[in-house]
Amino acid sequence: VAMAHLVAGLARCWCPSPLQVINFPVVQLHMSLMAMRASQKDFENAMNQVKLLKKDPGNEVKLKLYALYKQATEGPCNTPKPGVFDLISKAKWDTWSALGSLPKETARQNYVDLVSSLSSSSKSSGQVEPGADRKPPGYETLVVTSEDGITKIMLNRPTKKNAMNRQMYHEIMLALEAASKDDSRITVITGNGDYYSSGNDLTNFTDMASGKVEELAKNSAILLRNFVGCFIDFPKPLVAVVNGPAVGISVTTLGLFDAVYSTDRATFHTPFSHLGQSPEGCSSYTFPRIMSPSKATEMLIFGKKLTAREACAQGLVTEVFPDSTFQKEVWTRLKAYAKLPPNAMRISKEVIRNKEKEKLHAINAEECSVLQERWLSDECMNAVMNFLSRKAKL
Ligand SMILES: CCCC/C=C/CC(=O)SCCNC(=O)CCNC(=O)[C@H](O)C(C)(C)COP(=O)(O)OP(=O)(O)OC[C@H]1O[C@@H](n2cnc3c(N)ncnc32)[C@H](O)[C@@H]1OP(=O)(O)O
């Protein structure tokens, strides 16, 4: 009943004309503040783009836009929580508050990214020049689908072994945020092609070689911290369907999933020392607890590559399937799990995970700050340059 009121309330408040959300007085105030600062030009353009959207993006997205707006302009939510019966204000407060300590610049970037993904899926009037390249609708680096109670987030850069570039980090965060609020019961991350993911896209570091390295390292640490934070806070059962080899951050974050199903063709590899880097994804904490401390050390310090069966024996992988029947068996199982009562699953996850959340956020912050220094080291720069000049592969 409360949800029905909320939906009706949001519809009354935000749906009538194209995107009434931008008519909020507070937002208009922020628009004029934004206009005063040239460095926020993209943000301002995005605000204008929102007005031109023909298709209503729905209440969930409008709430997200509102929250990112507030975060980008005012910072973390510190206003008193509205009463339970003030459903609309509470929904807005909850969405803003859920952004936690997301930095203003990241919120601004996420706002711009979100508007850009909306613009490409909803043709804006008179804005696209004839013959100009049009972006495919929706995400650029992911394919996100939702059916049978399961939202599937598929990493989609198969020709790059699903290496995670900055765009992909942002899109995964957006997709997780949307999945946490949609009506699916389980969320799955998987890869398109023969790899699950080859980890961080090493070209993310190419800019490091050209000036302002400290700033780039700092921004990368912020991006990584927010990215991993989304996994720590994800409220529904999160399942990895590991369709092939996994490297680096795509392995470390597995410790934050609720189940990991793997093809027997997959391998699990965290070559941080080879790359002059150090563990992330909370693996410095989760891995010694999931597997024995010395096995974790072998992976995280010495870069030992595990087969799927070894990873399963160590507890990192829940179950391994023959590659020939992998997809069929895993999806049959997941569809059955998705029929379980959603609130029970969500609450059970809360009971299992909540005790650790604060600790995990602290570990994440520490790992990112250590990495920020590592990325500036000769060891790291040389390793990246060797890969990019094709002198080194894993
Ligand atoms: C900002 C947040 C930072 C978070 C930090 C996270 C840490 C990590 O994730 S560390 C792990 C980083 N990953 C790697 O070091 C993997 C590097 N890749 C490889 O060693 C090999 O590509 C491979 C063993 C994964 C696959 O080898 P294979 O011979 O089968 O295929 P390739 O021809 O090498 O790859 C095809 C194509 O894809 C490009 N590519 C693959 N992985 C990456 C990557 N991680 N970054 C950038 N590009 C990658 C590769 O260059 C090829 O591209 P071209 O076809 O254009 O040459």
Side-chain angles (χ1 to χ4, degrees), residues 10 77 90 98 211 217 236 387:
L10 283 171
C77 174
K90 188 170 169 299
K236 295 179 184 176
F387 173 75

Side-chain angles (χ1 to χ4, degrees), residues 159-161 198 200-202 249 280 387 390 393-394:
T159 58
K160 298 287 178 188
K161 309 291 182 195
S198 61
N200 186 46
D201 187 318
L202 294 173
I249 185 145
E280 26 65 354
F387 173 75
R390 296 294 181 271
K393 259 187 200 178
L394 295 173

Side-chain angles (χ1 to χ4, degrees), residues 229-341:
C230 288
F231 287 80
I232 298 173
D233 289 333
F234 193 72
K236 295 179 184 176
L238 183 61
V239 178
V241 171
V242 183
N243 56 298
V247 185
I249 185 145
S250 72
V251 177
T252 55
T253 44
L254 293 177
L256 301 170
F257 281 67
D258 302 301
V260 178
Y261 297 128
S262 172
T263 161
D264 59 6
R265 206 173 47 75
T267 51
F268 298 81
H269 193 190
T270 51
F272 298 128
S273 299
H274 299 70
L275 292 165
Q277 298 182 37
S278 51
E280 26 65 354
C282 294
S283 57
S284 63
Y285 180 77
T286 56
F287 277 28
R289 278 158 188 77
I290 291 170
M291 44 188 91
S292 76
S294 69
K295 291 285 182 189
T297 298
E298 230 189 345
M299 270 194 95
L300 295 174
I301 301 185
F302 301 131
K304 175 155 194 249
K305 191 192 282 185
L306 300 190
T307 63
R309 301 230 176 266
E310 286 167 339
C312 189
Q314 293 306 323
L316 181 62
V317 165
T318 313
E319 194 169 332
V320 181
F321 299 81
D323 196 49
S324 54
T325 54
F326 175 58
Q327 297 289 347
K328 188 162 179 274
E329 286 194 61
V330 166
W331 288 104
T332 305
R333 183 175 306 185
L334 287 173
K335 281 176 195 171
Y337 288 166
K339 294 199 172 93
L340 292 169

